[in-house]
Amino acid sequence: MNCEWRQKAVLFADDELGHAEQEEVSAHVSRCAECASTVTGQMELKKAVRIAGHRFTAPAGLRANVLAGIPAKPRRRSLWQWVLVPATLLVLAALAFFLLLPQRHNESLLAELVDQHVTTLASQNPVDVISTDHHTVKPWFQGKLPFSFNLPELAGSQFVLLGGKMVYVEQRPGAELLYEIRKHRISIFIFQSRSDDKPVVRPDHPLAFTVETWKQSGLQFSLVTDVSPDDAHRLKSMFEDANKS
Amino acid sequence: MSGLNSKDFEALALPLLDPLYNFARWLCSDPGEAQDLVQETFAKALKNFASFQQGSNFRAWMFTILRNTFLTSRTGLERRNTTQEDEEEFEDLVAGVENPETILIRRADVELVQEAIAKLPPNFRDVLLLADMEEMRYQEIADVLGVPIGTVMSRLARARKQVRECIVVTLGVKQ
Ligand SMILES: [Zn+2]
């Protein structure tokens, strides 16, 4: 268990070799079980650290403070926003109370997603990548998430893509895509599904939002919106078609 | 002189807000302190933006400012006074590779890996997070931390070894 290439296999897994050496080591790794195992082990650990390391998201207040410190780009802050923020917090608190109070813990995911949707609606910067083109939005997530997904073609539908951002729910990184139809917004959340995932359980009482969840191609999709269930279902179907494996 | 203005700064720097804050929280676990640190980083970066060379590595530059600002903070000073890991050099590189546990790593949940990272000596943790979370190159990490590249490599190997061992011990005990 001491192949002389082991050190190079480590550098190979870290993508730290020059092109020629990279190919040379790659060829060796494909023949040497020990080095193959070294590379796999290291890739696995790197992936685990990448996912676990992304643990904290900047609070909204920090973003505002940082922006306030950057001059030359006038930012309009109208009064209604200051009114809206406390109002939103109230809604959030009410929702959290409503959703969490008597429920089992596997409903908390649903509550978090609804919270996240409401926060997005109230946010000054609802998305981090602003584009109506899914060819722009999808690549933005590459390298930021440990998984990939497809976005549906919207031509011929009334849905408009507004953009997307990274979200962390239950310490898992995921994507939030924001869509609009008839002035109403829809959030689609995509996470990697885990084998120990419990099924998302709906609370017994009616929700203020339409929520759809489904699993597909190793991913956990969730949709949160105040549009009609028909429209919600239409977008869900489009996502299902786009992500057929 | 670069022809960059504050609008360019905003476009370059804002996408780094979350990564910088995340790293700041790993540096100083107090959320308030982490927020101050990030705000100070942005203020310093903006002030010195004229000296930033267009085309060079903006992300590494921001992380460097963050790290240096941290080292002058109270927590940073405490840390400088308390951490003195032995710095064995390059030959340690493969120490981080022990293979039969790969299957356990795959089974480890996020919280467990986070715990393992949190337990690392801070100097090792910084290198591991910059390498495997921020996916920086060895040279970038060396620049950010102001240490030789050999030190980066040996700290990284040792950090990985410790995280691996921590996971294996915890999961081994559970079984
Ligand atoms: Zn080998």
Side-chain angles (χ1 to χ4, degrees):
Chain A
M1 278 297 276
N2 268 316
C3 176
E4 55 183 5
W5 290 69
R6 243 177 130 198
Q7 190 151 305
K8 281 207 172 152
V10 171
L11 296 175
F12 172 78
D14 277 345
D15 197 16
E16 286 285 338
L17 299 171
H19 183 66
E21 230 179 346
Q22 193 83 6
E23 298 215 324
E24 198 187 355
V25 178
S26 168
H28 169 78
V29 167
S30 66
R31 289 190 309 268
C32 170
E34 186 190 336
C35 287
S37 158
T38 298
V39 171
T40 330
Q42 189 168 328
M43 298 301 267
E44 208 63 52
L45 187 65
K46 283 169 81 75
K47 189 173 137 198
V49 171
R50 187 176 72 230
I51 294 170
H54 286 115
R55 188 177 184 181
F56 311 103
T57 317
L62 177 60
R63 182 173 289 267
N65 286 345
V66 163
L67 275 171
I70 303 174
K73 192 176 177 188
R75 305 205 147 252
R76 266 169 276 119
R77 279 168 202 279
S78 46
L79 199 59
W80 66 269
Q81 278 169 329
W82 296 116
V83 177
L84 186 65
V85 171
T88 308
L89 287 177
L90 261 181
V91 172
L92 272 173
L95 269 172
F97 180 75
F98 224 59
L99 283 166
L100 288 171
L101 189 64
Q103 309 300 336
R104 292 175 300 277
H105 66 286
N106 45 1
E107 283 169 13
S108 68
L109 171 69
L110 216 146
E112 276 204 54
L113 293 178
V114 171
D115 284 357
Q116 180 63 48
H117 176 67
V118 173
T119 309
T120 299
L121 295 189
S123 167
Q124 268 191 295
N125 308 292
V127 287
D128 289 336
V129 50
I130 305 168
S131 172
T132 55
D133 183 358
H134 64 94
H135 297 295
T136 308
V137 174
K138 188 189 159 187
W140 185 83
F141 286 101
Q142 274 164 14
K144 295 189 175 72
L145 288 172
F147 58 89
S148 69
F149 50 82
N150 292 321
L151 298 179
E153 193 64 63
L154 298 174
S157 80
Q158 284 181 287
F159 294 103
V160 179
L161 174 62
L162 301 177
K165 72 171 170 207
M166 293 278 295
V167 286
Y168 294 86
V169 172
E170 295 188 332
Q171 303 191 330
R172 253 193 287 189
E176 178 178 3
L177 287 316
L178 193 61
Y179 289 86
E180 189 175 79
I181 185 167
R182 293 183 264 278
K183 300 275 170 215
H184 290 271
R185 306 235 160 139
I186 307 172
S187 287
I188 301 263
F189 298 94
I190 308 174
F191 295 90
Q192 209 161 19
S193 61
R194 288 194 292 214
S195 51
D196 59 345
D197 273 345
K198 295 168 195 75
V200 180
V201 176
R202 281 161 181 285
D204 306 329
H205 51 77
L207 284 170
F209 291 91
T210 299
V211 179
E212 300 250 17
T213 62
W214 70 99
K215 277 194 180 196
Q216 199 183 353
S217 312
L219 300 174
Q220 168 77 53
F221 292 83
S222 309
L223 176 157
V224 182
T225 186
D226 64 337
V227 304
S228 71
D230 281 352
D231 279 336
H233 201 77
R234 215 161 287 139
L235 188 61
K236 178 191 171 190
S237 304
M238 290 164 73
F239 262 86
E240 283 175 326
D241 289 343
N243 287 282
K244 271 191 188 126
S245 48
Chain B
M1 271 318 332
S2 61
L4 296 168
N5 59 33
S6 63
K7 221 170 167 169
D8 298 317
F9 177 78
E10 187 175 317
L12 284 167
L14 267 196
L16 296 173
L17 181 66
D18 275 329
L20 287 166
Y21 177 76
N22 185 51
F23 190 59
R25 280 291 298 272
W26 279 106
L27 287 172
C28 40
S29 43
D30 179 66
E33 217 180 321
Q35 286 201 50
D36 291 348
L37 180 55
V38 171
Q39 246 182 286
E40 207 178 326
T41 301
F42 273 78
K44 279 188 190 167
L46 180 62
K47 214 169 104 198
N48 296 300
F49 192 46
S51 70
F52 171 73
Q53 299 286 314
Q54 214 167 342
S56 62
N57 190 332
F58 185 74
R59 188 171 65 129
W61 187 67
M62 289 295 281
F63 272 86
T64 309
I65 297 174
L66 179 84
R67 179 83 182 355
N68 292 342
T69 309
F70 166 70
L71 288 179
T72 59
S73 75
R74 194 177 46 80
T75 316
L77 286 171
E78 277 168 21
R79 168 168 154 183
R80 272 207 281 192
N81 293 332
T82 49
T83 58
Q84 281 147 11
E85 291 88 27
D86 41 328
E87 297 283 3
E88 286 159 54
E89 291 291 320
F90 197 72
E91 62 272 12
D92 242 8
L93 183 57
V94 248
V97 188
E98 294 303 335
N99 302 302
E101 300 97 354
T102 299
I103 193 81
L104 283 182
I105 309 284
R106 212 169 285 162
R107 229 185 291 150
D109 54 26
V110 176
E111 291 79 12
L112 177 53
V113 182
Q114 282 168 349
E115 260 172 56
I117 298 171
K119 277 186 199 153
L120 288 173
N123 284 346
F124 291 10
R125 185 169 58 227
D126 290 352
V127 173
L128 182 75
L129 289 175
L130 292 178
D132 289 349
M133 178 182 77
E134 286 304 322
E135 297 178 273
M136 284 189 187
R137 313 203 68 94
Y138 295 169
Q139 186 58 58
E140 285 179 272
I141 302 169
D143 292 344
V144 169
L145 303 181
V147 297
I149 201 164
T151 305
V152 169
M153 293 162 91
S154 94
R155 284 185 189 174
L156 183 56
R158 293 156 64 93
R160 284 175 176 158
K161 182 179 156 76
Q162 286 191 27
V163 166
R164 207 173 265 276
E165 281 170 359
C166 180
I167 291 170
V168 169
V169 166
T170 314
L171 288 183
V173 167
K174 270 191 201 162
Q175 275 174 343

